[in-house]
Amino acid sequence: MNETFVGMPAFPEAAREALDDTTLRGNLRHATHTIRAKRAATVAEVSDWAELREAGSRIKEHTLRHLDRYLEQLEESVTAAGGTVHWAADAAEANRIVTELVRETGESEVVKVKSMATQEIGLNEALEAAGIRAYETDLAELIVQLGEDRPSHILVPAIHRNRAEIRDIFRTAMAGWGRPAPEGLSDRPAELAEAARLHLREKFLRAKVGVSGANFMVAETGTMVVVESEGNGRMCLTLPETLISVVGIEKVVPTWRDLEVFLQTLPRSSTAERMNPYTSMWTGTTDGDGPRAFHLVLLDNGRTDTLADEVGRQALRCIRCSACLNVCPVYERAGGHAYGSVYPGPIGAILSPQLRGTASEIDVSLPYASSLCGACYEVCPVAIDIPEVLVRLRERVVEGGPAVREGNRVVLRPARGHAAERAAMRAARWTFTHPGALRTGQRLASRARRLRPRTLPGPGAAWTATRDLPEVPAEPFRDWWERTRGGKEETT
Amino acid sequence: MSDRERVLGRVRRALADVPEDDTPYERAVPRDYAREHGTRTVAETVELLAENLADYRAVVHRCAEAELPALLARLLVARGARKVLAPDGLPSAWLADADLVAVPDLAASTPYELDAVDSVVTGCAVAVAETGTLVLDGGPGQGRRRITLVPDHHICVVRVPEQVVASVPQALERLSPTRPLTWISGPSATSDIELDRVEGVHGPRTLEVVLAGVIPSVGGTGQADGTPASVGE
């Protein structure tokens, strides 16, 4: 991944800002709890969820273990169907290829389907630098683009914005990008969606070049699959003359039949629907229907480095459903921006440091952006053991060790700044092995509890920066037990 | 070295720890998930399709095949549609009762011309009951992908029971990946604003589905038509 989120502070610092924003916390809490409840209900509708999850996990695992073979097969199938395949080892190469392809069409604007891969490589910025304007057409991406903002959720990138904020963004910024917002625009979601429809339709109808990602690529047939809701995807995939899809190499699946698993698990895990409103599948080009030219850019950008780690490679199974974000207690409070990458939440915490390496402060902090509660693993439709990978990455941060960067074997040194954690653990061990000291300390704390600070000094400050310090009880538990013998005195 | 060789080389080196495994793919993945969820009669499968379509805010109508022209005429009048797009292969009898300006589906039509169309009437390739999904594959009566996208009103005719399957696995078996496929579950929708669902962002804001054919009576197993098998299997 490249500089999309350059200069991001490390996770604890970024999360602290988010925690002070009560509007953001309210928006996030509402959104994650709503979708969490809906997901559980839709998943409960299918009796074979465990079997589907196992099959999905095994399909992805098998594909990764034979990735070279399936990528070559995919290339052959896409080419045979009339498409052109390009390979990009990194973001710069992918951006160069797409820019060249757009230039060859003579066009200076493109319409885009929501795509994590193109955000990861900073494609819009690269096109802008080449004098090509890229229009995001997913409603949430439009809100993010017009608001000069960053996405904060994989599925609902503008989840941190409420309706009043969205209305203000439309009123202020739409005119600078095309058709202005209608007069007297209110903050009703239906009116806001209508404003987006009018604003974007003029772009769809004149567009000559579309840019997309893909949810799945079928090696056997060369078929590309895009799953969406609004129809903006269909507009970008079928109206332009040229279609360029930038897709991570991990999105390939072996056979047509494999789609029967993911078309059942993805919608239920992501939007909690039985099926999303629109799914497009295309294989190369079709005479007289859709784009005349189709280009597939296969993107590595850190994926093969991730593949080299036998524990961490399971992160590449991810189908970007975002179920793990919606159940994560840390994501719910910190929001997506704190993760400093286009992949927030639990999956971001394991994907970003593997794709980008752990050289930066934010990437070193991401494996710690979790309480290891395991809820993310429970909901994952391809059974990625996120806690296992987090622990693996923590070990790498603290201990260092061998890793692969840009295809080369390297030996990482331990990251600085983890001495305080080791010191705290040593102090805890001493206290717990000296009961007298513990008892005295607890009594003192109870008597002085009115003097309790909001934050701890010293190394403890890091803990209280993102949490409320618990109330100290009026009496230590041991004293209460001795006085009441477990509450018997009070009940009898 | 080209990026192709670079990426494939990295993949092979990354997998150096993975033991050789020649298990054929058919045996590498357990497929013990259900081919369909539950056991339904043909009638119940069609009923489920209707329910799930309606649940996603499609407007569902039913009629016998012979009643199609009258019903379609009525739906188009109710909509006030004059310019109606009818793709090649749509039975001409279907729109025989309607007073309209028929717009053909031409490769040369511009998106702006399609935007001026009031309604589009199509058939489909298959419909999935469990998910309330229509699949169009560009076959006769279905036209190019864009004609069911740009106009604001789409009427889709599903022949029941023969075009109905119970589940996603059964639908994929019937479809060919060599054709461009569009899966439609209800009208275009977004939940991007505070997760409030709003219908109709960029595709047709109104989706009407006509279940046409001899509609088997609804009920449990053991009725006159009711073999407890999935439709179309």
Side-chain angles (χ1 to χ4, degrees), chain B residues 92-147:
Chain B
S92 55
W94 286 8
L95 294 176
D97 288 7
D99 175 28
L100 49 78
V101 181
V103 182
D105 171 23
L106 302 173
S109 303
T110 66
Y112 294 99
E113 286 165 336
L114 285 176
D115 199 31
V117 167
D118 298 317
S119 300
V120 56
V121 178
T122 72
C124 71
V126 65
V128 189
E130 285 182 7
T131 57
T133 305
L134 312 165
V135 189
L136 276 64
D137 72 354
Q142 299 171 54
R144 294 173 173 77
R145 285 172 283 176
R146 58 187 193 164
I147 67 165

Side-chain angles (χ1 to χ4, degrees), chain A residues 50-80:
Chain A
E51 289 81 6
L52 284 168
R53 185 174 186 248
E54 176 66 15
S57 158
R58 295 277 280 273
I59 290 168
K60 283 284 187 172
E61 193 61 26
H62 170 92
T63 313
L64 290 172
R65 284 170 164 257
H66 304 276
L67 192 58
D68 50 338
R69 185 215 296 173
Y70 288 117
L71 287 173
E72 285 179 313
Q73 190 187 7
L74 174 75
E75 178 184 46
E76 204 173 298
S77 310
V78 170
T79 308

Side-chain angles (χ1 to χ4, degrees), chain A residues 7-196:
Chain A
M8 273 303 290
F11 183 83
E13 204 180 313
R16 191 195 177 138
E17 271 170 43
L19 287 166
D20 287 340
D21 185 343
T22 48
T23 310
L24 175 70
R25 284 178 75 170
N27 290 356
L28 277 172
R29 191 182 151 77
H30 166 70
T32 54
H33 281 250
T34 307
I35 202 161
R36 193 188 298 181
K38 275 182 65 190
R39 190 208 75 97
T42 335
V43 165
E45 259 186 30
V46 283
S47 50
D48 58 340
W49 187 257
E51 289 81 6
L52 284 168
R53 185 174 186 248
E54 176 66 15
S57 158
R58 295 277 280 273
I59 290 168
K60 283 284 187 172
E61 193 61 26
H62 170 92
T63 313
L64 290 172
R65 284 170 164 257
H66 304 276
L67 192 58
D68 50 338
R69 185 215 296 173
Y70 288 117
L71 287 173
E72 285 179 313
Q73 190 187 7
L74 174 75
E75 178 184 46
E76 204 173 298
S77 310
V78 170
T79 308
T84 309
V85 177
H86 311 258
W87 299 71
D90 55 27
E93 181 62 10
N95 288 333
R96 193 191 62 74
I97 293 169
V98 178
T99 306
E100 281 300 305
L101 289 170
V102 178
R103 279 208 177 119
E104 279 167 27
T105 67
E107 295 296 314
S108 59
E109 62 177 40
V110 302
V111 285
K112 281 189 69 206
V113 192
K114 176 175 174 294
S115 139
M116 305 300 295
T118 60
Q119 287 208 1
E120 175 191 317
I121 62 174
L123 178 64
N124 291 9
E125 293 77 5
L127 289 174
E128 190 76 53
I132 298 161
R133 203 161 211 202
Y135 295 113
E136 292 293 345
T137 65
D138 172 79
L139 178 52
E141 291 287 6
L142 175 71
I143 295 164
V144 169
Q145 186 172 52
L146 294 178
E148 294 178 14
D149 197 359
R150 285 171 177 158
S152 69
H153 190 281
I154 288 173
L155 185 77
V156 203
I159 200 168
H160 56 290
R161 297 287 198 184
N162 63 27
R163 59 187 72 188
E165 292 174 320
I166 295 166
R167 180 202 50 200
D168 293 345
I169 290 168
F170 280 12
R171 278 183 177 169
T172 318
M174 260 187 180
W177 287 83
R179 183 175 173 143
E183 288 289 316
L185 179 67
S186 83
D187 65 0
R188 281 181 45 235
E191 250 185 72
L192 294 169
E194 174 69 16

Side-chain angles (χ1 to χ4, degrees), chain A residues 48 68 75 89 93 140 163 194 197 201 230 234-235 256 258 260 273-274 277 279 281 283 288 313, chain B residues 3-4 17 25 31 33-34 37 56 115 144 148 177 181 183 185 188 190 192 194 197 201-202 205:
Chain A
D48 58 340
D68 50 338
E75 178 184 46
E93 181 62 10
R163 59 187 72 188
E194 174 69 16
R197 179 185 177 96
R201 188 154 278 229
E230 294 172 8
R234 292 183 62 194
M235 291 275 182
W256 172 247
D258 296 327
E260 71 189 17
E273 293 169 299
R274 291 182 201 106
T279 299
M281 300 183 188
T283 305
R313 67 169 59 123
Chain B
D3 272 40
R4 181 183 189 278
D17 69 298
Y25 187 55
R31 305 265 179 189
Y33 48 85
H37 296 91
Y56 282 170
D115 199 31
R144 294 173 173 77
T148 57
L181 301 174
W183 297 51
S185 309
S188 151
T190 184
D192 281 347
E194 296 183 21
R197 190 176 162 104
V201 196
H202 304 299
R205 280 177 285 195

Side-chain angles (χ1 to χ4, degrees), chain B residues 2-81:
Chain B
S2 73
D3 272 40
R4 181 183 189 278
E5 299 318 313
R6 187 169 292 136
V7 174
L8 285 172
R10 286 180 186 177
V11 169
R12 288 179 189 124
R13 286 198 301 280
L15 294 170
D17 69 298
V18 175
E20 286 285 319
D21 176 14
D22 291 330
T23 313
Y25 187 55
E26 307 83 67
R27 288 200 279 120
V29 176
R31 305 265 179 189
D32 48 1
Y33 48 85
R35 301 307 297 166
E36 108 175 61
H37 296 91
T39 313
R40 292 177 207 92
T41 63
V42 169
E44 284 165 340
T45 303
V46 174
E47 183 61 23
L48 183 65
L49 172 67
E51 270 171 36
N52 285 336
L53 282 166
D55 196 31
Y56 282 170
R57 319 276 166 85
V59 184
V60 181
H61 310 273
R62 303 173 196 225
C63 70
E65 180 113 24
E67 296 160 356
L68 250 181
L71 176 60
L72 291 175
R74 194 156 54 75
L75 297 178
L76 291 169
V77 166
R79 176 81 188 181

Side-chain angles (χ1 to χ4, degrees), chain A residues 97-367:
Chain A
I97 293 169
V98 178
T99 306
E100 281 300 305
L101 289 170
V102 178
R103 279 208 177 119
E104 279 167 27
T105 67
E107 295 296 314
S108 59
E109 62 177 40
V110 302
V111 285
K112 281 189 69 206
V113 192
K114 176 175 174 294
S115 139
M116 305 300 295
T118 60
Q119 287 208 1
E120 175 191 317
I121 62 174
L123 178 64
N124 291 9
E125 293 77 5
L127 289 174
E128 190 76 53
I132 298 161
R133 203 161 211 202
Y135 295 113
E136 292 293 345
T137 65
D138 172 79
L139 178 52
E141 291 287 6
L142 175 71
I143 295 164
V144 169
Q145 186 172 52
L146 294 178
E148 294 178 14
D149 197 359
R150 285 171 177 158
S152 69
H153 190 281
I154 288 173
L155 185 77
V156 203
I159 200 168
H160 56 290
R161 297 287 198 184
N162 63 27
R163 59 187 72 188
E165 292 174 320
I166 295 166
R167 180 202 50 200
D168 293 345
I169 290 168
F170 280 12
R171 278 183 177 169
T172 318
M174 260 187 180
W177 287 83
R179 183 175 173 143
E183 288 289 316
L185 179 67
S186 83
D187 65 0
R188 281 181 45 235
E191 250 185 72
L192 294 169
E194 174 69 16
R197 179 185 177 96
L198 294 170
H199 177 80
L200 287 172
R201 188 154 278 229
E202 61 170 32
K203 300 190 169 81
F204 289 135
L205 297 185
R206 69 170 187 238
K208 297 278 183 279
V209 183
V211 172
S212 82
N215 294 89
F216 306 100
M217 310 185 281
V218 181
E220 173 189 50
T221 61
T223 307
M224 315 292 296
V225 183
V226 166
V227 171
E228 51 130 0
S229 293
E230 294 172 8
N232 67 304
R234 292 183 62 194
M235 291 275 182
C236 298
L237 298 170
T238 57
L239 294 184
E241 290 167 5
T242 302
L243 172 60
I244 304 164
S245 300
V246 182
V247 190
I249 50 175
E250 82 284 13
K251 293 291 184 81
V252 65
V253 296
T255 67
W256 172 247
R257 188 182 172 190
D258 296 327
L259 296 177
E260 71 189 17
V261 174
F262 300 112
L263 287 181
Q264 294 192 81
T265 52
L266 178 56
R268 287 178 202 266
S269 298
S270 57
T271 52
E273 293 169 299
R274 291 182 201 106
M275 187 64 92
N276 49 290
Y278 294 131
T279 299
S280 297
M281 300 183 188
W282 72 97
T283 305
T285 54
T286 304
D287 280 344
D289 185 353
R292 286 199 291 259
F294 169 58
H295 296 274
L296 171 61
V297 181
L298 292 172
L299 179 71
D300 178 348
N301 204 35
R303 285 159 177 77
T304 48
D305 293 343
T306 309
L307 187 67
D309 188 286
E310 67 259 33
V311 175
R313 67 169 59 123
Q314 60 184 307
L316 297 175
R317 284 189 221 148
C318 177
I319 57 173
R320 311 282 190 264
C321 72
S322 74
C324 61
L325 278 62
N326 301 321
V327 296
C328 177
V330 176
Y331 176 85
E332 182 188 324
R333 288 163 181 84
H337 288 155
Y339 293 82
S341 101
V342 296
Y343 305 108
I347 187 64
I350 62 168
L351 205 48
S352 303
Q354 295 201 89
L355 293 178
R356 299 192 293 211
T358 44
S360 76
E361 220 179 300
I362 180 82
D363 288 314
V364 165
S365 72
L366 284 177

